[in-house]
DNA sequence: TATTTTGTGTCCGATTACGCACAGACTTGT
DNA sequence: ACAAGTCTGTGCGTAATCGGACACAAAATA
């Protein structure tokens, strides 16, 4: 569960064909140019105001940043990696309601309301984040208009994402939803490599593991993905987009409309 | 589509057993004691500030109060009836993401953000509402702290409801979800009579009409509901609660926690 | 290296829901 | 009273997914 990514040595990669794949986990800790898009979008002045209070932290996969009913002490601004918001149905049973990466933040919206988390917040893919005390941010926000504006718009983007996920989960097949998830994850991480087990994906999608396996097999047979133990690699993004439902495009569009410049196009192919 | 409820005469009711059933549609226009819970929960002073700007309107079933991408000109505070938020998946295909009645408001949260609706907002069950220009409310809110506080907490309650609905739609059977819907609707209207067609319910739940029919039949066979053309009557609430998933209880609890006094218990039996 | 843990492949029957079609019954409007 | 429109009952084949089991392979651990 609590794998120490710092000690993780270079992953083997898929084959020589993809010479940089599999490095994501380590790259995170080597390069410093991953940045949180919300912070980037703020005025340099406002960003400077926050700077001294932002504390860099490492996001370890499986780590529970926050649980249902817990006080939201920190707001997290991911710089890399992927975080899931999970809603509890029964003790032990969860469904992913939202995927958050460097384009967003955790606790920025609900954290400033009642201050109690409605969801379980779990790190899915290792990364780094800047965090800040919620109370502090609440004090500072009125003095940083650009950030306050971003907060409002991000809140709306978040709701929009949840609404679309709701519709998607209600109407679309597991295969479509899996494609959507992979595409979103790819956007979040700017990488075609998704270091997740099918079991983890099944939990997030709220379906059986065997159903994910079947879908993954089918996608691989069509050449859209390639996978091995614990890693899925997107090899044909266009194919994934066609197989996915419109929900992916709708989610992207809404996000781009509400928060332009924060959701950049991922590279066509970068391990 | 646009039925004039004012002209609707007394519905026949189911049998003599339930002497007040079927009156809901007319009762709405006869009695004036239906009130919006959010407004009630506000300070009398703040409520008085709003009063002159609140305009009473009639909610006609099928009426589209707001559509995707439309500017949110008004905030609606329902006093009776039921309103649905629907998310579009394809042109013409929608799923209900949220059910709103007198315990809430339309446009209060997203209306004050970008001002553009993310959902289609449709009247499901006839009723009345007070509405107010969004821009005006935005001006007044800072001067009415109790209302501003309610707005924040209602926003969170709304998100919570959507998250739970997402999980529920993802994991639970149509029968369970139908029960949940009926129970929520019952809370919203304080009535055991749900004046909706199975077709309308199917659309909201995002399933086939025949599937709803099958579920309704089964529930009726067990004595939990009784239905005729266009009307479902809850006859055994305890049975419905047992058949429903935990989501209903979770949703109620969260709402009660965030907005105490606004979500009162519905009567055990009142047509 | 050996052992344990974890992830995947695969099979199976059972169940749920889809998708479509059509008949019949109830309302509404004329 | 009649016609048109709408809602519900029902049947039936098909597809998707569940839910559980077990074998096997790969990785982590000792």
């Amino acid at each position: 569960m609590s794998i120490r990514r710092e000690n993780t040595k270079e992953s083997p990669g898929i084959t020589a064909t993809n010479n940089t794949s599999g490095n994501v986990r380590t790259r995170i800790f080597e390069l410093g140019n991953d940045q949180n898009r919300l912070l980037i979008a703020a005025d340099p002045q406002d960003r400077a105001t926050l700077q001294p209070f932002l504390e860099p932290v490492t996001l370890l996969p499986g780590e529970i940043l926050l649980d249902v009913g817990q006080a939201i002490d920190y707001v997290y601004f991911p710089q890399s990696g992927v975080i899931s918001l999970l809603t509890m149905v029964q003790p032990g049973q969860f469904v992913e309601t939202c995927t958050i990466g460097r384009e967003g933040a955790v606790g920025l919206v609900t954290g400033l309301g009642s201050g109690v988390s409605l969801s379980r917040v779990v790190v899915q893919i290792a990364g780094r984040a800047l965090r800040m005390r919620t109370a502090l941010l609440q004090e500072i926000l009125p003095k940083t208009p650009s950030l306050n504006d971003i907060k409002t718009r991000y809140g709306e983007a978040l709701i929009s994402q949840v609404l679309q996920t709701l519709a998607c989960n209600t109407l679309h097949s597991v295969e479509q939803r899996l494609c959507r998830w992979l595409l979103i994850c790819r956007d979040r991480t700017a990488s075609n490599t998704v270091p997740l087990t099918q079991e983890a994906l099944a939990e997030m999608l709220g379906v059986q593991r065997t159903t994910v396996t079947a879908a993954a097999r089918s996608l691989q047979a069509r050449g859209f993905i390639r996978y091995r133990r614990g890693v899925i690699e997107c090899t044909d993004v266009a194919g994934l987009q066609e197989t996915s439902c419109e929900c992916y495009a709708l989610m992207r569009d809404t996000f781009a409309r509400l928060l332009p410049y924060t959701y950049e196009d991922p590279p066509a192919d970068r391990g």
Side-chain angles (χ1 to χ4, degrees), chain A:
Chain A
M1 266 304 159
S2 64
I3 306 156
R4 288 284 154 75
R5 287 304 183 188
E6 286 90 345
N7 303 337
T8 302
K9 61 173 183 298
E10 186 83 26
S11 299
I14 292 195
T15 62
T17 311
N18 195 327
N19 49 10
T20 53
S21 77
N23 303 16
V24 197
R25 305 179 192 179
T26 49
R27 189 166 59 82
I28 291 163
F29 300 94
E30 286 160 5
L31 306 181
N33 59 0
D34 286 319
Q35 301 236 8
N36 180 273
R37 304 294 164 185
L38 294 184
L39 293 179
I40 285 180
D43 275 352
Q45 216 176 10
D46 290 354
R47 205 158 62 235
T49 310
L50 286 193
Q51 204 75 33
F53 307 108
L54 291 169
E55 171 196 358
V57 290
T58 299
L59 305 174
L60 301 175
E63 192 180 349
I64 297 178
L65 295 181
L66 213 50
D67 215 337
V68 182
Q70 230 173 24
I72 305 177
D73 295 327
Y74 290 97
V75 175
Y76 290 83
F77 296 97
Q79 299 172 297
S80 57
V82 172
I83 293 169
S84 285
L85 302 193
L86 309 174
T87 286
M88 189 179 64
V89 176
Q90 287 175 347
Q93 195 180 24
F94 292 85
V95 182
E96 191 198 47
T97 51
C98 200
T99 314
I100 296 177
R102 51 180 193 165
E103 87 301 332
V106 171
L108 186 57
V109 183
T110 37
L112 305 181
S114 75
V116 171
S117 182
L118 298 165
S119 315
R120 171 174 286 192
V121 182
V122 179
V123 178
Q124 297 291 352
I125 300 178
R128 292 189 313 176
L130 296 172
R131 77 174 186 184
M132 182 173 180
R133 286 233 162 248
T134 309
L136 233 86
L137 184 58
Q138 194 142 27
E139 272 180 51
I140 291 178
L141 264 185
K143 301 174 209 157
T144 55
S146 76
L147 258 170
N148 198 38
D149 178 49
I150 285 171
K151 179 211 140 192
T152 306
R153 283 183 290 144
Y154 179 61
E156 211 166 323
L158 208 64
I159 292 178
S160 157
Q161 199 192 329
V162 173
L163 293 177
Q164 199 67 48
T165 306
L166 198 169
C168 188
N169 282 15
T170 305
L171 293 175
H172 298 142
S173 70
V174 173
E175 184 178 86
Q176 288 178 305
R177 287 162 53 199
L178 177 59
C179 289
R180 166 173 65 77
W181 205 96
L182 292 174
L183 289 168
I184 288 175
C185 182
R186 190 176 154 274
D187 291 346
R188 300 278 186 268
T189 58
S191 163
N192 286 322
T193 306
V194 179
L196 284 175
T197 64
Q198 298 178 6
E199 202 146 17
L201 284 165
E203 266 195 68
M204 286 191 271
L205 297 174
V207 298
Q208 296 270 117
R209 195 264 308 166
T210 50
T211 307
V212 171
T213 300
R217 256 181 69 78
S218 166
L219 291 176
Q220 178 163 259
R222 280 177 278 170
F224 300 159
I225 64 172
R226 221 177 342 169
Y227 65 87
R228 58 186 194 282
R229 195 188 172 83
V231 182
I232 296 181
E233 193 200 2
C234 305
T235 50
D236 183 350
V237 174
L240 286 175
Q241 286 179 347
E242 276 168 41
T243 312
S244 152
C245 40
E246 330 69 40
C247 295
Y248 168 64
L250 286 170
M251 285 165 82
R252 278 201 63 151
D253 292 350
T254 306
F255 212 101
R257 179 172 61 76
L258 291 170
L259 288 162
Y261 313 122
T262 62
Y263 199 120
E264 65 164 20
D265 267 45
D269 196 5
R270 179 148 59 99

